[in-house]
Amino acid sequence: MCNTLKSLFLTALLVIASWASANDDTASGIVKYNEGAFHEARSLFLAQSENGDAYATFWLGVTQWETGERFEAGDTFFRAAEMGDPWAMYMLVPRDGNPCRYLGWPCDEAWKAKALAGWEALAEQGNAKAQFAITKVSQPWWEYIPFYRLFRYHELLETGMDQNTYGAYQKYMRKFGNRTQYDFDYIHRAAGKGRASFMAAIGYSKHPSIKGQELAWLQKSLDTGFPDTAKSLCIDYKLGWEDFPVDLEKAFYYSVVYEVLNKGRDECKVFTQESVTDEYGLIVSDSEGKSIKRDLISEERQQALRKEAKAYAETLTPNLFLDETTIELFVY
C-alpha cells in the first residue's frame, strides 16, 4: 500500500514537472496537427521529445498514430508515460476499442491509477482538461449527489469554456438536457468563442430564434476551416432531408471543399452519372455489354464547380479543433 501511494505521489510530481516544460514549439506542433500538416507537426514534436518534453512526446505518439506509424506510437506513448504524461498513461490502459491487444502495445491496467493521479495533480492547479478527463474515466463521489452534481457540472463547464477545453463542451452540456434553453445558451457561447462544431450545431438545431439563419450559421462554421461541416453539407445535399432538398451540384461543390480541407485523406463521394434504365427498370447496355450512362452533372459543370470550390477552400486554414480530450484514441 505504501509503495503504491509513493508511486502515485512520484507520478504526480512527474506530471507537474512535465507540464511545466511544455513550450511554444509544442503548442505550434498542436496547431500544425489541427491544420492537418502532420509531418510538420511530427518534426516539431520529435525535436521537443528529444529535449525531454513529455507532453510533446505524447503528441508525437498521437501524430504517429495519424500518419500510420501505429506500432511505433505505442512505444512513444510508453516513453511519454514513463516521463510523466498522464494522457500517454491512459493510452496504455487496456479497454474496449483501444489498440493495446491487436497492436501489441506495452499496456498495463496499472497505468489508469497513475493517469488519474497525474490528472488530479493538474486539476488541483485548475487544469480544465484534467478535470474533464477525471470525470470521463472515473466517477467522482459528487456525481452521486443530484443537486450538487449539477452545480459541479456547471462549474466544470465554465472552467472548460474559459480554457477552451473542447471535450468539456460536449460532455457537460449534455448533462443539462438536449436542446434545452440552458443548453442552447451554452452552445451560443461556445460558438462565440470560435468553436466550429457548435456553430454547426446552431445551424442544425431548429431553434426558433435562428429560423431563416440556418445556412448562415453553417457557413460561419465552414469559414473556420472545419472539414466536418463541409462533409455534413455534402451529405445533406446528396441525400436530402427536410431543410436540404437534393442538389447534386451543391453536394459536389462541398465534396471538393471537404477534399481540400481534409488534404485528400477522406472523401464525400458524389456520383455524377447514373445508369440508363428501360421502362421495366432494367439497365440498358450498349453493343459491348457495358451499361449506358447519363450525366447527372456534366463534365464542363464539374470543372467549373471544382474550380470555384477549390478557390474558396484555399482561402481557409484547415482546423480539426482537436485536443487531448477529443482525439480518437482518448474518445475510445
Side-chain angles (χ1 to χ4, degrees):
M1 179 67 174
C2 289
N3 287 337
T4 300
L5 290 174
K6 182 179 179 181
S7 174
L8 295 178
F9 176 71
L10 291 173
T11 296
L13 290 179
L14 271 173
V15 167
I16 293 170
S18 72
W19 273 67
S21 69
N23 56 46
D24 290 343
D25 283 344
T26 302
S28 296
I30 296 171
V31 170
K32 287 296 180 185
Y33 180 92
N34 273 300
E35 290 176 2
F38 298 125
H39 293 290
E40 291 180 57
R42 187 187 186 285
S43 296
L44 288 166
F45 295 140
L46 179 60
Q48 295 310 307
S49 175
E50 290 173 346
N51 288 334
D53 186 331
Y55 185 51
T57 305
F58 161 73
W59 273 101
L60 175 61
V62 172
T63 308
Q64 287 174 321
W65 172 266
E66 190 64 44
T67 57
E69 302 171 89
R70 299 196 165 185
F71 289 102
E72 294 86 346
D75 293 333
T76 302
F77 286 136
F78 183 73
R79 192 164 71 252
E82 289 198 312
M83 293 164 72
D85 187 89
W87 304 96
M89 294 173 191
Y90 188 65
M91 297 301 103
L92 300 175
V93 177
R95 58 194 189 280
D96 290 343
N98 88 331
C100 285
R101 291 185 178 87
Y102 68 86
L103 288 181
W105 285 4
C107 296
D108 192 316
E109 189 65 41
W111 283 117
K112 183 174 181 178
K114 292 180 179 181
L116 281 167
W119 284 326
E120 284 164 2
L122 292 173
E124 287 177 6
Q125 297 181 330
N127 186 289
K129 292 176 185 176
Q131 291 170 344
F132 167 75
I134 291 167
T135 60
K136 180 187 182 299
V137 306
S138 66
Q139 192 162 20
W141 61 268
W142 50 263
E143 286 204 333
Y144 295 97
I145 306 173
F147 295 107
Y148 184 64
R149 178 173 63 211
L150 287 176
F151 168 78
R152 285 291 289 147
Y153 290 149
H154 176 85
E155 187 177 61
L156 291 170
L157 180 53
E158 289 292 338
T159 305
M161 283 275 188
D162 290 342
Q163 296 181 28
N164 222 22
T165 299
Y166 303 150
Y169 296 153
Q170 277 89 348
K171 176 165 181 173
Y172 297 128
M173 280 182 184
R174 288 197 297 269
K175 301 294 185 179
F176 300 109
N178 188 35
R179 296 294 182 267
T180 63
Q181 185 59 47
Y182 192 72
D183 177 53
F184 194 71
D185 289 344
Y186 271 110
I187 290 176
H188 259 284
R189 287 179 57 195
K193 290 175 72 69
R195 284 289 291 136
S197 62
F198 288 95
M199 296 175 192
I202 292 172
Y204 286 120
S205 69
K206 297 185 180 295
H207 195 276
S209 67
I210 59 107
K211 189 171 180 60
Q213 304 171 44
E214 294 88 349
L215 283 175
W217 277 104
L218 292 170
Q219 187 62 51
K220 283 183 184 179
S221 175
L222 187 54
D223 286 344
T224 67
F226 189 44
D228 284 5
T229 301
K231 186 176 185 179
S232 292
L233 286 165
C234 171
I235 293 170
D236 290 338
Y237 283 116
K238 180 169 65 172
L239 301 180
W241 59 287
E242 183 181 347
D243 296 319
F244 289 87
V246 172
D247 188 325
L248 289 183
E249 288 197 0
K250 287 182 179 178
F252 183 83
Y253 173 90
Y254 287 114
S255 76
V256 176
V257 174
Y258 179 61
E259 181 184 338
V260 174
L261 291 179
N262 210 37
K263 301 184 187 297
R265 294 188 306 276
D266 191 18
E267 65 176 349
C268 176
K269 184 69 175 175
V270 177
F271 293 102
T272 58
Q273 289 185 320
E274 68 177 2
S275 297
V276 175
T277 57
D278 61 20
E279 64 269 30
Y280 302 107
L282 300 175
I283 294 174
V284 178
S285 301
D286 61 18
S287 59
E288 296 179 352
K290 297 178 181 177
S291 63
I292 297 174
K293 305 284 187 182
R294 73 176 183 90
D295 288 337
L296 298 172
I297 307 175
S298 70
E299 284 289 339
E300 183 180 3
R301 184 61 181 146
Q302 285 180 54
Q303 289 177 12
L305 288 167
R306 183 173 292 279
K307 182 178 179 181
E308 182 184 348
K310 277 189 172 181
Y312 164 65
E314 287 169 359
T315 68
L316 307 176
T317 300
N319 193 342
L320 300 174
F321 288 94
L322 295 173
D323 66 9
E324 299 91 309
T325 65
T326 50
I327 58 168
E328 179 185 22
L329 287 167
F330 184 73
V331 173
Y332 277 146

